[in-house]
Amino acid sequence: VSFFRNPVEKYVSGIMFVSMTMKGHDLTLDMVVNRTKAKVRTGRAKGALFYEGYNKYLLSPEQKERLANETYKDRMELGLQTMKSNLHDFGVLVGVVEHMHESMQMLQYVIDAGGEQTELFESVGMNPEKKESGDEIRVANPSKFSTKEVVAQLQK
């Protein structure tokens, strides 16, 4: 079982968390937006590949080693095919953080079809009152503004 998150929101959330840890909880939306822009610009200047983050979860060390000798284009194409094969061949159940309610429903269907553990699934994000994910989200480290708000500002 693997749960994934929108990569842009995951990246921004990481910056927000580190910024709050370093500077306290008095951050403004503009401060986080500017810090994110600066980190992306610096990363691009250094040739960072921001979109390769999930391969560490979906490729074995041996597969990564084999792909390391390929050209960039081949590494991306072969890596994607290998990740897809891994998900299929190993029977991985994938949930999406932004759709936790639906992901928990799917997981419960697979491992608790009788519904004996419904209370447990509800405690970690499944909400029987909602048909799909919405505004009510369980947050472990709340902020004055959401990751979605930062992403919206970055997209302007």
Side-chain angles (χ1 to χ4, degrees), residues 140-153:
N141 54 345
S143 173
K144 294 178 198 172
F145 43 87
S146 71
T147 303
K148 288 186 185 306
E149 290 175 271
V150 176
V151 172
Q153 291 295 314

Side-chain angles (χ1 to χ4, degrees), residues 72-86:
Y72 175 77
K73 183 179 178 201
D74 289 343
R75 190 171 67 244
M76 291 297 106
E77 289 176 15
L78 292 170
L80 179 60
Q81 292 306 315
T82 304
M83 286 185 261
K84 285 180 178 179
S85 293
N86 287 348

Side-chain angles (χ1 to χ4, degrees), residues 2 17 22 29 53-54 65-66 73 82-83 90 93 127 130 137-138 147:
S2 292
F17 180 75
M22 291 171 45
L29 180 61
Y54 281 119
E65 192 173 315
R66 278 195 307 270
K73 183 179 178 201
T82 304
M83 286 185 261
F90 296 109
L93 178 66
N127 182 340
K130 297 187 310 191
I137 298 172
R138 194 173 124 172
T147 303

